Amino acid sequence: MFLEDVNAKPYQIDRMLMQLKLAGKLNKVRGMVFGVMLKCKQSDTQEYRLQEIVLRTIEEYSFPILYGLPSGHTESGSLTLPFGVEATLNADDRYLELEEGAVE
């Protein structure tokens, strides 16, 4: 699952994830990748990070999570992520590898 947004507050991301969770949509997720999430913070003085909100909301799931993939809204170059292709997510080494081409 790839998620990204811009100018969303952490509590808004929490609500979005909770809606997916309560609807049972996270039960089939095998990996979660977040984009850069530009300006997704409450204020400059907030004491928590978006990653902490995400982990608290989905703590019972065991899928890997990768943060900061430069796709979607970014300040520099952006990777194109095709829909429906097999991919390998390695959150420990921080990479997402597409296993097949998007077109034939």
Side-chain angles (χ1 to χ4, degrees), residues 74-87:
T74 65
E75 292 179 334
S76 59
S78 180
L79 300 173
T80 300
L81 295 178
F83 288 105
V85 300
E86 292 287 324

Side-chain angles (χ1 to χ4, degrees), residues 8-83:
K9 306 289 188 254
Y11 74 87
Q12 293 171 315
I13 303 297
D14 180 53
R15 278 192 293 188
M16 293 176 207
L17 287 173
M18 188 58 73
Q19 178 67 29
L20 291 170
K21 179 179 174 177
L22 293 174
K25 301 300 181 184
L26 298 180
N27 294 337
K28 295 182 181 179
V29 171
R30 295 173 49 200
M32 188 174 283
V33 177
F34 285 86
V36 176
M37 308 295 283
L38 285 177
K39 301 176 186 171
C40 289
K41 61 182 183 176
Q42 192 75 23
S43 69
D44 290 335
T45 60
Q46 79 183 30
E47 297 179 6
Y48 54 88
R49 300 178 321 148
L50 179 61
Q51 289 91 333
E52 294 167 10
I53 299 293
V54 169
L55 289 175
R56 188 186 74 231
T57 305
I58 61 173
E59 64 188 350
E60 70 263 24
Y61 301 100
S62 60
F63 49 72
I65 303 170
L66 178 64
Y67 298 99
L69 187 76
S71 187
H73 297 94
T74 65
E75 292 179 334
S76 59
S78 180
L79 300 173
T80 300
L81 295 178
F83 288 105

